[in-house]
């Protein structure tokens, strides 16, 4: 007798149908825009944020407290030296800028849920440009910066408004972009799309035949 070619305790060779199914491919990003589309969306976000600075400037001009001045014919003085109207102008601008940044971030996530780094950078750049434009609109449309000429025009002991300005302009310019990035990050973490975890099939176990 000749020995069998296959040892008795060796499992028979598997055919192709017996092997476990190959691992499924990783899920593709559903609805994610291409690089060109994302750059185009980022350009629109930056442009709209910049134009929104006009509304920021108008609201600042409307809501900021005025600093009353008065002239005695020789010099110009603060009408109320203990007043805090100058600080109030800065605070009003910062609060409005924070609100504009939060709203901008919410709208970007609402319309572009798959937005990436380009949209976040667009929010930051648009926020800075919008703040600069709002600052310029408010100061341009507000009371004149020619305080001496204005004092002569209104006369002695007549109260008039000081020019609208920002004492801490550098910090005020960062309120909008910082708020936009923080709110966008928080909303993305809460409501943004999340990639599903791939489900790997469990490997099949083959029981060797009894001897």
């Amino acid at each position: 007798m000749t020995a069998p070619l296959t040892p008795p305790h060796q499992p028979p060779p598997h055919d192709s149908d017996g092997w476990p199914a190959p691992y499924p491919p990783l899920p593709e990003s559903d609805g994610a825009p291409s690089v060109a589309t994302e750059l185009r969306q980022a350009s629109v976000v930056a442009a709209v944020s910049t134009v929104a600075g006009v509304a920021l400037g108008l609201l600042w001009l409307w809501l900021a407290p005025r600093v009353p001045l008065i002239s005695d014919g020789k010099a110009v003085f603060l009408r109320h030296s203990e007043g805090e109207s100058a600080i109030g102008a800065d605070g009003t601008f910062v609060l409005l800028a924070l609100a504009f940044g939060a709203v901008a971030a919410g709208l970007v996530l609402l319309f572009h849920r798959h937005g990436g780094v380009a949209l976040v950078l667009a929010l930051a750049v648009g926020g800075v440009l919008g703040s600069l434009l709002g600052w310029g609109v408010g100061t341009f449309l507000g009371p004149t910066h020619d305080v001496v000429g204005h004092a002569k025009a209104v006369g002695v002991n007549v109260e008039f408004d000081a020019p609208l300005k920002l004492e801490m302009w550098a910090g005020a310019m960062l309120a909008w972009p910082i708020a936009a990035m923080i709110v966008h990050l928080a909303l993305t973490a809460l409501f943004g799309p999340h990639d599903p975890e791939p489900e790997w099939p469990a490997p099949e176990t083959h029981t060797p035949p009894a001897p």
Side-chain angles (χ1 to χ4, degrees), residues 98-113:
L98 291 174
F100 270 71
V103 171
L107 291 176
V108 166
L109 185 66
L110 179 63
F111 291 103
H112 307 295
R113 297 185 68 248

Side-chain angles (χ1 to χ4, degrees), residues 43-128:
S43 301
V44 173
V45 169
V48 172
S49 297
T50 303
V51 174
V54 176
L56 171 62
L58 294 176
L59 285 174
W60 180 47
L61 177 62
W62 179 37
L63 297 175
R66 298 292 186 260
V67 179
L69 302 177
I70 195 168
S71 171
D72 61 356
K74 298 180 181 179
V76 178
F77 305 94
L78 287 172
R79 183 70 176 84
H80 306 289
S81 58
E82 72 280 0
E84 299 179 354
S85 299
I87 301 177
D90 285 48
T92 302
F93 188 95
V94 170
L95 290 177
L96 288 172
L98 291 174
F100 270 71
V103 171
L107 291 176
V108 166
L109 185 66
L110 179 63
F111 291 103
H112 307 295
R113 297 185 68 248
H114 295 274
V117 178
L119 285 176
V120 177
L121 292 177
L123 279 172
V125 173
V128 173

Side-chain angles (χ1 to χ4, degrees), residues 169-186:
W169 64 270
M173 294 302 105
L174 297 178
W176 182 334
I178 290 177
M181 289 189 292
I182 291 178
V183 172
H184 187 271
L185 179 62

